[in-house]
Amino acid sequence: TINTKDKRSTKQHKAGGRRHQGDTTQQTIIMTRTALITAIYSLTSLSAHRSSAFLPHLAARHVSPVIVTTSLFIRSTRAFSTSSSSILKDSHDPHPQTTHPLPPIASLASPGTLQKLSLRLGLGKELRERVVHKYFHGVDTKNIQQIVECFHPDGAVIRDISSVANRDVPYEDVGRMVSPQFLGERCREFLEAHPDAKVMFRLGPTCGRGRNNNWVYAHWYEEGSWCGNSQGIEPDGSLLTVQGQTRFLVDDDLKIKEIVITRTFSRWEEMMLLKREGK
């Protein structure tokens, strides 16, 4: 009987030791995963308050480090991008809007490695939005060079849906390829006629949903007056009340490759059309 009790005690002791060893191993795994996740968070420059809330939750659920790494990479690429939503006050709006174009940011000219990879994965929507902000900001500040920089060096396709000349033309035949310099020159002519023009948004630049949707949409309007002489047409002082909805295809190099425009026309543009038609 004594031997039997001793054997049972020995077995219980060994089982307890194995459980203790198993608990220690499990704790080591959890600590290792937590350290790995912490290192990844530090490398991707995410904020401390987000990591403190996020890391223990993942470690407690024994989430695979591979899944965590992928998740953190996507989060980090978004964190590297600056968008209009991070500047606006209303955090309850899922996609808050600004009423004025935002100035360009340095990463548009030289995106980092993570940003480039993010763009090629179909992400980086905030950066694409900032390219369109840069374009409208160039119009707003009369910066023609900034406008030219927004477009692909090889040119962009322009589809002006509202043009009278395109009234009976199929959509696929409406567009034409033009150079960035041509687009800058057209903007310059318009701004010479309307030197006090200001751009505002009813719906600021917003990239479409879906990973591979690289179209950025904007509902804009301009205020000012026809008070400048442009292309030999004397101003009549009429108010500028132009508005439109434009979508921009922004590629992975953060350059605009296509524009589709639906808009109204200014009095100066109407007079320009008559002049070109010889009327």
Side-chain angles (χ1 to χ4, degrees):
T1 303
I2 295 174
N3 290 337
T4 302
K5 289 182 178 179
D6 290 342
K7 289 180 180 180
R8 288 178 180 175
S9 176
T10 301
K11 289 181 179 179
Q12 291 174 354
H13 178 73
K14 290 181 178 180
R18 284 194 296 270
R19 283 197 299 271
H20 176 72
Q21 184 179 6
D23 291 343
T24 302
T25 302
Q26 188 66 27
Q27 290 175 359
T28 302
I29 292 173
I30 293 174
M31 291 174 65
T32 302
R33 286 175 173 169
T34 303
L36 173 62
I37 298 170
T38 303
I40 295 172
Y41 250 70
S42 299
L43 290 173
T44 52
S45 303
L46 292 175
S47 59
H49 75 277
R50 287 180 64 186
S51 61
S52 62
F54 186 62
L55 297 177
H57 173 74
L58 291 179
R61 290 178 175 268
H62 314 309
V63 179
S64 167
V66 175
I67 296 176
V68 172
T69 303
T70 304
S71 174
L72 293 181
F73 169 74
I74 294 173
R75 288 167 177 257
S76 67
T77 56
R78 291 173 180 169
F80 271 99
S81 302
T82 304
S83 68
S84 57
S85 60
S86 65
I87 298 175
L88 302 173
K89 297 179 180 179
D90 187 4
S91 59
H92 300 290
D93 188 341
H95 202 116
Q97 298 297 329
T98 179
T99 56
H100 298 277
L102 298 175
I105 53 178
S107 56
L108 297 183
S110 55
T113 303
L114 284 178
Q115 290 172 328
K116 290 180 180 178
L117 183 56
S118 172
L119 290 163
R120 279 154 180 73
L121 289 174
L123 304 174
K125 292 185 179 297
E126 296 87 353
L127 283 175
R128 299 183 202 277
E129 292 171 357
R130 287 304 291 257
V131 173
V132 177
H133 270 289
K134 178 180 178 179
Y135 165 75
F136 281 113
H137 184 268
V139 175
D140 210 33
T141 58
K142 319 298 185 290
N143 189 334
I144 303 303
Q145 181 57 37
Q146 181 174 310
I147 294 172
V148 170
E149 291 172 358
C150 295
F151 294 93
H152 195 280
D154 295 336
V157 175
I158 308 299
R159 303 184 193 274
D160 195 342
I161 305 300
S162 304
S163 174
V164 176
N166 295 328
R167 179 173 297 171
D168 300 318
V169 180
Y171 174 81
E172 56 273 12
D173 296 333
V174 169
R176 59 172 178 150
M177 177 72 77
V178 296
S179 68
Q181 291 71 27
F182 174 87
L183 292 166
E185 182 62 20
R186 296 292 80 77
C187 287
R188 185 188 63 78
E189 292 174 357
F190 179 88
L191 293 171
E192 284 180 349
H194 311 92
D196 58 349
K198 285 294 178 183
V199 180
M200 284 166 282
F201 298 125
R202 301 192 191 281
L203 176 66
T206 304
C207 196
R209 296 180 179 180
R211 175 163 292 184
N212 294 316
N213 188 341
N214 298 335
W215 285 96
V216 179
Y217 306 81
H219 185 181
W220 52 269
Y221 64 101
E222 290 177 304
E223 293 183 346
S225 62
W226 181 12
C227 56
N229 187 315
S230 180
Q231 299 300 296
I233 304 177
E234 292 295 328
D236 64 3
S238 58
L239 293 178
L240 178 63
T241 56
V242 177
Q243 64 175 317
Q245 298 184 54
T246 306
R247 54 190 176 102
F248 303 78
L249 181 60
V250 182
D251 68 7
D252 295 340
D253 294 320
L254 298 178
K255 298 295 182 182
I256 298 171
K257 294 194 69 173
E258 186 174 346
I259 298 180
V260 180
I261 311 168
T262 304
R263 66 187 183 99
T264 60
F265 294 88
S266 68
R267 177 63 179 162
W268 172 79
E269 288 173 304
E270 293 173 352
M271 296 300 295
M272 274 287 295
L273 180 60
L274 292 175
K275 180 180 178 180
R276 287 170 182 170
E277 293 177 349
K279 297 180 181 178

